Amino acid sequence: MPASFMPSAQEMMRFLPETLLTLAGVFLMVLEAIMAPENKGRLKAFALFALAAALAAAVIAYNDPGPAFNRLLIIDGFATFFRVLVIGVAILAVLGSSQYLAREGANPGEYWALVLFSVVGQSLMVTSNELIMIFIGLEISSIASYVLAGYLRDDARNSESALKYFLLGSFATGFLLYGVAWIYGLTGTTDLSQIRADLANRDISNSMMMIGAACALMFVGFAFKVSAAPFQVWAPDVYQGAPSPVAAFLSSGPKAAAFAMFLRVFVTAFEPVADRWEPIVWASALVTMIVGNFAALRQTNVKRLMAYSSIAHAGYVMVAVATHSKLGIEAAMFYLAAYALTNLGAFAVITCLVGKGERFVEIKDLAGLGARQPLSAAMLTIFLLSLIGVPLTGGFFGKFYIFKAALDARLIWLTVLGLLNSAVAAYYYLRILVVMYMEEPGDTVENTQEMGGALKFVLVGSAVATLVIGTFPSLLLDVASRYAVLGR
Amino acid sequence: MNENAHQLWLIPALPLAGALINGVVGQMRDRAAHAAAHGHGHGHGHSHSHSHSQGHDHGGHDSHAKPDPLVSMVSIGSVLLAFLWVSKTLIALGDLNTAYVERYFTWIASGSLNVGFDLAIDRLSAVMLLVVTGIGTLIHIYATGYMSHEKGYYRFFCYLNLFMFFMLILVLGANYLLLFIGWEGVGLCSYLLIGFYFLKKSAGDAGKKAFIVNRVGDFGFALAMLLIFIHFGSLDFGAVLPKASGVDTGILTAIGLLLLVGACGKSAQVPLYVWLPDAMEGPTPVSALIHAATMVTAGVYMVARSFPIYEGAPMAREAVALIGLATAVMAATIGLAQNDIKKVFAYSTVSQLGFMFLGLGVGAYGAGIYHVVTHAFFKALLFLGAGSVIHALGGEQDIRNMGGLRTKIPWTFATLFIAAFAIAGFPGLSGYYSKHEILLAAHHHAHWMYWVGTITAGITSFYVFRCIFLTFFGEYRGKAHPHESPAVMLIPLILLAGLSIAGGFLGIPHWLEPFFPKMAEGHDAMAGNITTLVGLGGIVLAYLFYVVSPGIPEGIANSLRGLYNLIDNKYYVDEAYDSAIVHPLEHGSRIVLWRGVDAGFIDGIVNGMGGVSRSIGGALRTLQSGNIRSYANWVVLGAVIFLVMLGAAGGAR
């Protein structure tokens, strides 16, 4: 097929969100350099505007779904759902960061630009239909994330976090790339649909070992990005050391995008060998849930606890991946959206509470929060209940759908062990509740500044959304099931 | 008649509206009142301000607080209206030979799963509805008196109304998912109510314990629900239960046992009963009662609701009976040695729940539900009476510091006395009928169960009357100045006393008879007489021991020291759980995961070195001292494992 170097207008439309975000990010960098300091507050509005425009573009692009750029990208329902999700997460993350950055006296302009670049990467990850593009998207997103994790350069914890993230992240990406190379060697293509066709139609019994190894190598890269065991070791250190709003962002958006590409690669390209990789996803899901939940039991640092909680939740989504069924994909979509909302909300409370220089990051610093800040405490209660998975919250139906999908796929033991895990999880979330409402504030002074309007919006907005999808789960599930269409 | 003619949704919606009004408007008015009283704004003066008071039960006593009449009115009114709506609906529906269902909207439609937001009334839920809203109304009335001096008055009633909402969803729901939502909801509210006195550590701990133990039960319930869905393709009672007889026994047994795990958590059965006594110790009698009369019966309701499953799974049904019996015996014997008036009644609750499960397990579903109803009457009376005693003595709960109160608080005495006779199964009173039905059915099922149950019933009447005699007879041993409770507290007592007497003549067994499978006829008259005599014997023995010659119990306790200690320490079950589960879990997660997996550190020890380049160098040095290499090793190790799993194993196949 002769390559046409000039993409059609149709293709450009399909690629519009990424284009907008890239241009806006570059523009932000320029503005940041030339703008008078007193005007820099407007940069946030600009970043939000760009994200909103990209969101609209992502929705519009779905009016005309299909591939772009020689099938490097594919705009299908699945991609659109995750595009909207990651851009939405970024909007909430921007809203939730500004107060923090002002408090720490950090320069916000570059921060917004980095968020936009990270979203470009994520957006590419979820739309890619080809292994090299996936790798490029992943790197764009990751490099921006590494810098964000170390954004407050003078804070040693930030630097340590960024460096660890960078070193280990590069290491794991190496595995991914190696796996891509093997696949190319085996099948002669990096196009997901063609890999699938090749694996399905050719007699592969002789090269099964090589294919398995390639799968395993790519699995390492993906599992690292979603912080699945045994590749989760980086997450606690990185989330704990990174600025709170960055930790919120990293554990919501990039994680969702990483799961999206994970699902796309394994459920489309590697579907023909699903019975081979299912056991490792199964094992990884189980170990991830166990490590996340049991390590969280012992944590005293709130951010570290949330990091382990995010590992545990990644474990539940891995259960959905292990089903490699349409129901499982829907459940994962529902779960990731519900988790992103809950997680951003919970981190909004943490962002406000840690105080300047993040001095109050221990669970005991939450003592008496119910009396000091009834609104934050009440909202955090909703988020914690959702993380536990109590009915009438988004978290409940997230787990419900995942375990239902797992049962439909006859993963009985994984379901049983997963449910047991979620019973254990109640313990450590509940501890926060108890401290908040049932303990006297310690000698920590009234450490919290008044919550700004934007942060309050994030807080209340995500709490309301958590309750709404917990009460009327069909609202989200219908969308998920309509959009759980993987273009091939 | 149009489709949803009876607007069943109003029944739960009324308390929900009450909870919302109390939560929002009540809080606003509360703050305004405090701002006026203290002359400064919120932040200090409102309901959460912390000051300890010495009152035993009154963790948040506030002499300035006046009950907000609006809050009282809204909370009582909403539950009362719900009760009236239930009554009106039941009268209109008539004999209810088939379930009346109202469908509102499709709640979840996902693949093959289709769950509607449907509410239903049948003969079983009609009984439960009347108990929940009826007793609930009385509890609310009483609570406005008992809680009148407490801080956070509006908050308490907000929780209480919310509790009613979830309880009504639980009973009205026409499918297992709605039942589960109500189930979890009452658990959550119970956590809030138990922990209401958040200044008391014991209350907070009890709340946490209740929540966590219940999670174990919920785990069973959730699994049962998923199994039901897999095998029946639906969660609707109307679609699942009639088909149960055609399903494989093994599957029904699995479902039945898992449901039983859930019921054991919620209804405090062995081995998951440990949370209930604690949950009743800390908080107000009001919340203790809301548990005794309503929430803990949820497990009984659920098992009775699922009776077609148990009918097809004799082993699971047998397990229900055995667990019920074990619970009854265990809790009754522990009750013998308790000195806290509320704890005595708490263990008696556990024990009576055991009787209900025994009834269900031997196939006497109707009798089990019947006992739920009569128990709600007399247990409510016992708890409210205990509250009245505690109220009269300014917070004293130890029965060794009471005595001779029958002349000082005669109304409380009279009503409590009636309740005690009812629970002891005195002929003619409500408890007599329901307990007899259970025991006679047990006799029919297996003789040894009957005998164990009967002896347990004797122990029950002994320890309940021990408590009554120590409280109301002999000389007063305390220091407070007892005073009778206000009318708003006494009226519910008197009403409940009436119900405790008349509960046996309400025709409940007759009403439930067509709903459940028929029991084989042929009651053993002799067995009935023995039960009656044993029950009376317990009372007489208690009279001899604690009124006629009070030295005897001490002597017996001394001569059977070992046994006494065992009972006094509640069979060391809490300790056993601690050392068998809690400690290993904490230890394991500390040693294995904390040290092994979570070895990371972010402590900013390079702090103060300043400068970007140097701090990165410093960070690098720090990293080299330990972690990043071990992290990378983890990644490599994991990669190798998966490579072997997928590559080599794949090749081998």
Side-chain angles (χ1 to χ4, degrees):
Chain A
M1 190 170 77
S4 140
F5 288 103
M6 198 55 209
S8 68
Q10 190 188 29
E11 286 174 319
M12 289 309 288
M13 269 309 282
R14 289 178 186 155
F15 191 58
L16 192 57
E18 289 81 2
T19 315
L20 283 174
L21 289 171
T22 311
L23 290 176
V26 174
F27 198 52
L28 271 171
M29 299 289 268
V30 176
L31 283 180
E32 163 70 30
I34 61 170
M35 224 174 178
E38 63 269 21
N39 290 334
K40 283 185 180 168
R42 294 180 198 165
L43 293 178
K44 176 184 166 193
F46 179 74
L48 285 174
F49 176 74
L51 284 165
L55 191 71
V59 174
I60 293 168
Y62 189 56
N63 286 335
D64 176 28
F69 308 138
N70 271 326
R71 296 184 51 82
L72 289 182
L73 302 182
I74 186 153
I75 312 307
D76 52 15
F78 185 75
T80 305
F81 182 91
F82 277 102
R83 260 183 174 176
V84 169
L85 178 61
V86 296
I87 296 172
V89 165
I91 290 176
L92 291 177
V94 167
L95 288 171
S97 302
S98 53
Q99 191 181 353
Y100 182 91
L101 294 172
R103 187 171 69 204
E104 303 296 337
N107 207 347
E110 289 162 4
Y111 185 95
W112 309 139
L114 285 167
V115 170
L116 295 195
F117 290 142
S118 177
V119 177
V120 172
Q122 294 165 38
S123 194
L124 275 178
M125 281 153 79
V126 305
T127 48
S128 296
N129 189 37
E130 196 264 353
L131 291 174
I132 303 294
M133 277 313 291
I134 282 180
F135 174 73
I136 291 172
L138 184 62
E139 281 303 281
I140 294 175
S141 154
S142 299
I143 290 169
S145 306
Y146 301 148
V147 183
L148 280 173
Y151 197 72
L152 306 175
R153 284 168 300 198
D154 296 335
D155 190 319
R157 293 171 296 184
N158 273 222
S159 308
E160 191 176 334
S161 161
L163 204 62
K164 281 182 177 170
Y165 195 15
F166 169 66
L167 289 175
L168 288 167
S170 314
F171 190 49
T173 316
F175 282 92
L176 176 69
L177 205 51
Y178 200 34
V180 171
W182 278 40
I183 286 292
Y184 182 71
L186 284 163
T187 64
T189 176
T190 51
D191 182 297
L192 296 184
S193 320
Q194 287 172 19
I195 295 171
R196 177 196 175 86
D198 190 68
L199 294 180
N201 300 331
R202 194 155 55 92
D203 174 25
I204 50 173
S205 50
N206 290 330
S207 46
M208 199 55 232
M209 193 174 133
M210 305 286 279
I211 293 170
C215 266
L217 287 168
M218 291 190 66
F219 177 81
V220 173
F222 292 143
F224 180 89
K225 287 296 163 189
V226 301
S227 70
F231 311 105
Q232 85 298 344
V233 277
W234 59 277
D237 283 13
V238 170
Y239 291 170
Q240 186 186 353
S244 296
V246 173
F249 178 64
L250 292 183
S251 52
S252 311
K255 183 172 263 187
F259 263 116
M261 68 175 182
F262 190 178
L263 278 166
R264 192 189 283 278
V265 171
F266 274 70
V267 177
T268 59
F270 294 151
E271 175 68 23
V273 289
D275 55 333
R276 303 279 166 158
W277 57 258
E278 192 195 290
I280 61 166
V281 177
W282 194 101
S284 174
L286 179 61
V287 179
T288 309
M289 289 189 286
I290 291 175
V291 167
N293 283 320
F294 281 82
L297 289 176
R298 299 291 315 172
Q299 302 305 324
T300 56
N301 179 299
V302 180
K303 285 167 75 184
R304 204 171 178 81
L305 186 143
M306 288 303 288
Y308 276 110
S309 134
S310 104
I311 293 174
H313 287 279
Y316 302 128
V317 184
M318 291 290 280
V319 173
V321 179
T323 66
H324 59 89
S325 64
K326 179 164 186 298
L327 273 181
I329 295 173
E330 287 171 32
M333 289 161 82
F334 186 100
Y335 201 94
L336 287 166
Y339 175 71
L341 280 170
T342 308
N343 197 44
L344 285 169
F347 265 109
V349 177
I350 294 170
T351 301
C352 185
L353 288 179
V354 289
K356 187 169 162 49
E358 302 220 353
R359 284 166 300 149
F360 305 104
V361 286
E362 296 296 310
I363 290 178
K364 64 178 184 328
D365 296 326
L366 288 167
L369 188 72
R372 283 185 285 146
Q373 300 200 347
L375 176 75
S376 303
M379 298 295 124
L380 187 54
T381 305
I382 293 175
F383 300 131
L384 292 173
L385 292 177
S386 178
L387 290 171
I388 294 177
V390 169
L392 300 185
T393 61
F396 168 73
F397 280 106
K399 288 205 178 74
F400 184 85
Y401 291 134
I402 282 187
F403 289 128
K404 177 177 164 285
L407 278 181
D408 281 354
R410 290 286 179 253
L411 301 174
I412 311 276
W413 281 108
L414 195 56
T415 309
V416 171
L417 295 167
L419 280 172
L420 260 182
N421 256 285
S422 68
V424 170
Y427 184 82
Y428 56 86
Y429 294 122
L430 208 62
R431 206 161 43 133
I432 300 181
L433 271 186
V434 169
V435 169
M436 267 193 328
Y437 281 104
M438 294 173 192
E439 278 180 22
E440 299 267 5
D443 41 8
T444 45
V445 282
E446 194 71 13
N447 55 49
T448 45
Q449 61 187 120
E450 192 61 25
M451 198 176 263
L455 205 51
K456 229 177 224 169
F457 173 81
V458 176
L459 190 64
V460 177
S462 30
V464 169
T466 299
L467 290 178
V468 167
I469 59 174
T471 316
F472 304 103
S474 302
L475 293 178
L476 181 57
L477 192 74
D478 285 351
V479 174
S481 77
R482 214 157 356 106
Y483 282 68
V485 181
L486 284 159
R488 279 173 187 156
Chain B
M1 203 205 281
N2 65 355
E3 217 181 302
N4 294 335
H6 293 290
Q7 310 294 342
L8 293 185
W9 62 274
L10 266 175
I11 298 169
L14 283 164
L16 179 65
L20 290 177
I21 294 171
N22 279 340
V24 177
V25 181
Q27 181 177 28
M28 275 159 35
R29 285 169 56 105
D30 187 65
R31 286 193 178 182
H34 270 282
H38 290 276
H40 60 249
H42 72 289
H44 175 71
H46 87 286
S47 62
H48 297 288
S49 89
H50 297 272
S51 65
H52 279 290
S53 71
Q54 66 279 39
H56 189 78
D57 197 42
H58 297 241
H61 197 88
D62 183 357
S63 51
H64 295 289
K66 275 204 194 70
D68 187 336
L70 178 85
V71 170
S72 324
M73 230 166 63
V74 167
S75 74
I76 297 176
S78 62
V79 183
L80 182 65
L81 280 177
F83 174 67
L84 294 175
W85 197 256
V86 169
S87 314
K88 176 202 151 293
T89 310
L90 288 180
I91 291 167
L93 286 173
D95 62 6
L96 268 178
N97 279 328
T98 51
Y100 167 75
V101 185
E102 289 192 354
R103 301 182 194 282
Y104 299 100
F105 54 90
T106 303
W107 193 27
I108 299 161
S110 135
S112 49
L113 174 65
N114 210 318
V115 181
F117 193 93
D118 305 337
L119 303 179
I121 292 192
D122 55 19
R123 290 194 167 214
L124 173 60
S125 51
V127 172
M128 293 298 290
L129 280 174
L130 284 174
V131 171
V132 170
T133 53
I135 304 287
T137 307
L138 294 180
I139 296 169
H140 276 70
I141 295 174
Y142 176 92
T144 55
Y146 193 88
M147 299 300 289
S148 60
H149 301 300
E150 299 297 325
K151 278 179 182 167
Y153 186 76
Y154 73 89
R155 207 157 42 88
F156 184 83
F157 281 97
C158 175
Y159 296 161
L160 213 52
N161 276 10
L162 199 61
F163 182 95
M164 294 306 287
F165 162 70
F166 280 118
M167 193 69 207
L168 290 168
I169 289 283
L170 191 160
V171 174
L172 276 170
N175 53 56
Y176 277 103
L177 192 64
L178 271 179
L179 197 159
F180 186 66
I181 302 270
W183 184 273
E184 288 279 280
V186 286
L188 183 64
C189 292
S190 111
Y191 171 68
L192 293 171
L193 283 168
I194 295 169
F196 180 70
Y197 289 136
F198 46 78
L199 300 182
K200 277 177 69 176
K201 190 162 171 6
S202 68
D205 286 350
K208 211 161 88 172
K209 192 171 178 182
F211 196 86
I212 287 167
V213 171
N214 269 301
R215 292 296 295 182
V216 178
D218 297 346
F219 162 71
F221 191 174
L223 275 182
M225 210 158 67
L226 291 169
L227 264 185
I228 289 173
F229 174 71
I230 289 182
H231 288 285
F232 293 89
S234 172
L235 290 175
D236 279 3
F237 296 140
V240 172
L241 298 176
K243 281 194 281 180
S245 54
V247 174
D248 177 55
T249 311
I251 288 156
L252 288 182
T253 306
I255 294 174
L257 289 176
L258 286 168
L259 285 177
L260 177 62
V261 172
C264 282
K266 185 95 354 185
S267 292
Q269 297 294 295
V270 168
L272 298 179
Y273 70 94
V274 285
W275 64 272
L276 188 62
D278 285 15
M280 293 182 166
E281 182 194 9
T284 66
V286 177
S287 23
L289 161 65
I290 201 97
H291 289 95
T294 56
M295 186 179 102
V296 291
T297 61
V300 183
Y301 167 75
M302 189 251 273
V303 172
R305 165 66 67 206
S306 315
F307 77 86
I309 290 174
Y310 286 95
E311 284 300 294
M315 214 181 84
R317 215 185 76 181
E318 195 69 20
V320 174
L322 288 174
I323 281 186
L325 197 60
T327 309
V329 174
M330 191 146 178
T333 45
I334 293 174
L336 283 173
Q338 298 304 311
N339 289 316
D340 182 312
I341 186 167
K342 282 199 307 192
K343 272 220 155 155
V344 175
F345 296 152
Y347 277 104
S348 88
T349 304
V350 178
S351 176
Q352 295 302 309
L353 284 164
F355 275 109
M356 295 172 206
F357 273 76
L358 175 64
L360 300 174
V362 297
Y365 303 101
I369 294 295
Y370 187 18
H371 202 53
V372 166
V373 179
T374 59
H375 175 255
F377 296 154
F378 58 71
K379 186 47 61 67
L381 186 49
L382 284 175
F383 265 112
L384 297 189
S388 184
V389 170
I390 295 165
H391 193 84
L393 299 180
E396 180 62 69
Q397 297 189 186
D398 193 325
I399 49 178
R400 287 168 301 190
N401 299 331
M402 298 179 186
L405 293 178
R406 72 176 180 279
T407 50
K408 300 197 166 68
I409 43 175
W411 281 103
T412 306
F413 164 69
T415 49
L416 257 184
F417 211 52
I418 291 171
F421 273 114
I423 193 175
F426 192 80
L429 298 185
S430 58
Y432 171 82
Y433 296 101
S434 51
K435 204 183 278 186
H436 266 225
E437 278 206 32
I438 290 173
L439 287 173
L440 288 176
H443 186 260
H444 199 79
H445 183 77
H447 279 252
W448 70 273
M449 284 189 178
Y450 162 79
W451 284 107
V452 176
T454 300
I455 292 166
T456 308
I459 297 176
T460 305
S461 54
F462 176 77
Y463 73 79
V464 169
F465 271 91
R466 163 180 174 265
C467 178
I468 296 291
F469 290 138
L470 282 175
T471 308
F472 291 103
F473 288 74
E475 291 296 309
Y476 181 53
R477 300 178 290 274
K479 295 185 185 64
H481 298 286
H483 56 91
E484 187 61 284
S485 298
V488 68
M489 287 165 69
L490 287 179
I491 290 169
L493 287 183
I494 293 164
L495 282 173
L496 283 168
L499 286 170
S500 297
I501 295 171
F505 307 105
L506 295 179
I508 294 163
H510 180 67
W511 168 258
L512 286 172
E513 205 190 320
F515 188 82
F516 292 116
K518 280 252 180 305
M519 291 279 297
E521 287 297 324
H523 281 160
D524 191 325
M526 192 59 202
N529 293 337
I530 292 173
T531 311
T532 312
L533 286 178
V534 171
L536 293 177
I539 303 176
V540 173
L541 214 59
Y543 187 74
L544 288 175
F545 277 23
Y546 294 97
V547 180
V548 178
S549 55
I552 300 177
E554 190 64 24
I556 294 178
N558 279 332
S559 57
L560 296 173
R561 187 45 64 186
L563 188 64
Y564 179 81
N565 281 343
L566 186 66
I567 293 176
D568 193 30
N569 286 295
K570 302 155 203 159
Y571 298 105
Y572 298 98
V573 169
D574 279 321
E575 288 79 359
Y577 276 172
D578 266 356
S579 55
I581 298 170
V582 179
H583 286 308
L585 202 66
E586 290 192 341
H587 248 62
S589 61
R590 184 164 62 233
I591 291 168
V592 178
L593 290 158
W594 179 243
R595 298 264 160 73
V597 175
D598 185 84
F601 68 108
I602 287 270
D603 48 13
I605 46 171
V606 285
N607 235 343
M609 294 181 76
V612 183
S613 56
R614 273 205 294 163
S615 92
I616 291 207
L620 255 181
R621 225 173 302 134
T622 323
L623 297 170
Q624 280 172 354
S625 70
N627 281 290
I628 197 114
R629 280 184 180 168
S630 75
Y631 288 0
N633 287 340
W634 272 102
V635 174
V636 173
L637 182 70
V640 169
I641 293 172
F642 288 134
L643 271 169
V644 170
M645 270 176 80
L646 255 178
R653 263 196 256 181

